[in-house]
Amino acid sequence: FAPLPFTLLDNAKVTCAYYAGIIISNIVAPEARAVLQSTFSVLNLDQSLIQNPVIIQDITACGPSDADCLNQIASDNEYHPEIMGSIVAIQILDWLKDDGWNMYGDINRNGDGVCTANCRPFSDTTGYEPEMCDPTTRWQRLQEDNGKGFFFSYDHVVP
């Protein structure tokens, strides 16, 4: 593949988006990092940004909701894609903490407190239980997961 002809502004926007995506994927879906990194060369983007994609320390110090601090850092660094990608990433990761999907698995089963045991990412927080199912007298299927929101139960347990 030949690199696509981007203008300088387009290149900065795409680099910002990809840098934020790589930071987020390191936390949400680490296996996707390699795919995102491979597209940097196809799009002719700055390869140096993907060697250690982390949120810039100054941005972490500001936090995701201090707009004045984040604007100052962006301005001081001339809106460099690495800085802007870090700002986007920290704000998206902050939003994901409270979006209702329980990405970190830190909300308990009833959704009214902190999970303290058997915490699983993306687990149900509604407190749902099947009708007519008394756990003390009836067998219940063990629910397993892949840690990324895919839950499954076995239908048969005999050989």
Side-chain angles (χ1 to χ4, degrees):
F1 290 96
L4 299 173
F6 282 116
T7 65
L8 189 57
L9 182 58
D10 290 336
N11 191 331
K13 289 177 185 177
V14 171
T15 304
C16 167
Y18 268 88
Y19 191 77
I22 287 176
I23 291 171
I24 294 166
S25 74
N26 278 343
I27 296 166
V28 177
E31 68 280 358
R33 181 178 176 186
V35 173
L36 285 171
Q37 286 178 325
S38 67
T39 58
F40 261 66
S41 59
V42 172
L43 296 172
N44 198 26
L45 300 174
D46 184 359
Q47 297 287 314
S48 67
L49 295 179
I50 59 175
Q51 300 309 315
N52 187 26
V54 294
I55 296 173
I56 306 299
Q57 189 63 35
D58 291 345
I59 293 168
T60 303
C62 284
S65 57
D66 188 346
D68 291 335
C69 181
L70 294 173
N71 284 331
Q72 187 62 49
I73 290 172
S75 176
D76 290 349
N77 290 280
E78 298 178 351
Y79 303 95
H80 189 275
E82 185 177 14
I83 298 296
M84 300 309 295
S86 289
I87 291 171
V88 169
I90 196 171
Q91 290 179 331
I92 289 174
L93 289 170
D94 182 61
W95 180 79
L96 287 173
K97 285 191 300 189
D98 299 316
D99 70 346
W101 287 93
N102 198 17
M103 182 179 89
Y104 296 106
D106 56 358
I107 303 170
N108 71 7
R109 177 106 171 101
N110 295 322
D112 59 2
V114 177
C115 182
T116 57
N118 299 321
C119 306
R120 299 186 311 189
F122 301 104
S123 59
D124 180 29
T125 60
T126 64
Y128 171 78
E129 292 290 337
E131 288 185 30
M132 297 179 59
C133 192
D134 180 3
T136 60
T137 60
R138 296 191 55 138
W139 175 82
Q140 291 186 7
R141 297 185 298 172
L142 175 65
Q143 187 179 53
E144 297 187 35
D145 68 278
N146 68 353
K148 300 175 188 140
F150 178 75
F151 292 88
F152 56 95
S153 299
Y154 294 101
D155 291 326
H156 304 283
V157 294
V158 294

